Amino acid sequence: MGNLLCCVKVDQSTVAIKERFGKFQEVLEPGCHCMPWFLGSQLSGHLSLRLQQLDVRCETKTKDNVFVNVVASVQYRALAHSANDAFYKLSNTRAQIQAYVFDVIRASVPKLDLDDVFEQKNEIAKAVEEELEKAMSAYGYEIVQTLIVDIEPDEHVKRAMNEINAAARLRVAANEKAEAEKIVQIKRAEGEAESKYLSGLGIARQRQAIVDGLRDSVLGFSVNVPGTTAKDVLDMVLITQYFDTMKEIGAASKSSAVFIPHGPGAVNDIATQIRDGMLQATKH
């Protein structure tokens, strides 16, 4: 119907290419246009001005000889003022873009190690975008954005990378655990040393108190009972302590202590040994 009335409609975000006798005449903007077909005018085709996206998967090799699949996403659109170039100069726009992406990726990735490819993917995307912008602007296309959306190494390489990462984390965990055990052992040793030091102080004070008590007992008994010597008083005190000890041992029903020597006649030997020790300590 539009051809009979010599009118054509161009949709929004689209331009149409008008020819006259097979030669380009003008670019038709969105809206309704007169197309006198009897004068040789005809509509050659339409060109979308909408943003389009092309995902390109490229297989290449890194510097450390690892094959990877790099997926690049290119967003592009045709320019309205260069619609005739975009329509006539390229027969397959997507194939042309894909060829440029292949060329840039396969020139950039082989210069990098696998780890650097992951770290510098933005630089790779920028290089692809600059090359595409320089090449496609001559054909009436604008490159809006280029992204490296995925980097897929071989499955065996990914497994090896995961194992390396796991081993590194296990090594760090082992070091932390060993450091914690070291701290615990140091603190335990410091605690034992402090405990033994305080225990030694307690024993020394206990022995000093016993000596002071015996001395006071001997002096008090000698003063109150005339004719007794310090030896007699000390023997009596030791005998009293001996029987008190035997009483305590016998009072316990489940006592496992053995007092050797345990005969009453051995008290004199014990008293002699204690007395000699005290005299030697005093002499030194």
Side-chain angles (χ1 to χ4, degrees):
M1 187 68 178
N3 290 333
L4 293 177
L5 297 176
C6 299
C7 293
V8 295
K9 182 187 70 171
V10 180
D11 296 331
Q12 184 65 33
S13 299
T14 306
V15 293
I17 305 300
K18 179 181 178 182
E19 294 180 350
R20 187 174 184 182
F21 296 110
K23 183 180 179 181
F24 170 75
Q25 186 177 10
E26 63 177 329
V27 177
L28 303 180
E29 300 290 338
C32 185
H33 299 272
C34 180
M35 186 69 64
W37 54 269
F38 53 86
L39 297 178
S41 297
Q42 63 177 1
L43 195 66
S44 178
H46 293 80
L47 182 66
S48 175
L49 300 180
R50 294 179 180 179
L51 184 67
Q52 303 182 60
Q53 179 168 311
L54 173 63
D55 293 328
V56 180
R57 176 181 293 270
C58 177
E59 183 180 17
T60 184
K61 182 176 72 70
T62 62
K63 186 177 180 180
D64 49 354
N65 297 322
V66 177
F67 281 90
V68 294
N69 286 315
V70 180
V71 180
S73 180
V74 181
Q75 298 174 353
Y76 66 99
R77 64 185 173 192
L79 299 174
H81 62 274
S82 302
N84 58 330
D85 292 333
F87 186 82
Y88 288 105
K89 288 186 177 181
L90 287 180
S91 60
N92 192 336
T93 305
R94 301 175 70 87
Q96 186 75 14
I97 293 176
Q98 183 174 354
Y100 280 110
V101 173
F102 280 171
D103 180 66
V104 176
I105 290 179
R106 287 175 176 169
S108 302
V109 174
K111 299 178 182 179
L112 304 172
D113 292 331
L114 180 60
D115 293 337
D116 295 334
V117 173
F118 284 95
E119 295 176 359
Q120 301 183 25
K121 70 182 188 68
N122 291 334
E123 286 75 6
I124 297 174
K126 185 177 180 181
V128 173
E129 182 176 349
E130 290 177 352
E131 184 67 23
L132 285 175
E133 182 68 28
K134 182 173 60 177
M136 299 302 296
S137 61
Y139 301 108
Y141 282 91
E142 176 190 9
I143 304 301
V144 178
Q145 185 75 25
T146 301
L147 303 173
I148 301 298
V149 296
D150 197 8
I151 300 173
E152 300 178 356
D154 184 77
E155 187 65 30
H156 298 288
V157 177
K158 289 197 293 185
R159 189 181 300 113
M161 293 173 66
N162 292 332
E163 291 176 355
I164 292 173
N165 190 15
R169 293 182 181 274
L170 289 175
R171 183 168 61 252
V172 173
N175 290 335
E176 294 295 332
K177 182 178 179 181
E179 189 67 24
E181 292 178 353
K182 175 184 175 182
I183 294 174
V184 171
Q185 292 178 359
I186 292 174
K187 293 300 181 181
R188 185 183 295 116
E190 291 177 353
E192 291 178 356
E194 186 68 18
S195 175
K196 291 180 180 178
Y197 173 73
L198 295 176
S199 177
L201 290 179
I203 293 174
R205 292 174 181 174
Q206 179 186 14
R207 291 176 179 176
Q208 184 64 39
I210 292 173
V211 171
D212 294 340
L214 290 175
R215 183 181 64 250
D216 295 340
S217 298
V218 170
L219 292 176
F221 198 86
S222 299
V223 172
N224 295 326
V225 181
T228 59
T229 62
K231 177 180 179 303
D232 297 333
V233 177
L234 184 59
D235 289 342
M236 186 186 67
V237 172
L238 291 176
I239 290 174
T240 302
Q241 290 183 346
Y242 171 79
F243 283 111
D244 289 342
T245 303
M246 296 300 294
K247 180 180 178 181
E248 292 178 359
I249 294 175
S253 60
K254 296 182 180 180
S255 176
S256 59
V258 178
F259 194 78
I260 299 176
H262 63 277
V267 176
N268 188 32
D269 295 336
I270 297 174
T272 303
Q273 294 175 11
I274 294 175
R275 186 168 51 252
D276 293 342
M278 293 176 64
L279 292 175
Q280 291 179 4
T282 302
K283 179 180 179 181
H284 290 295

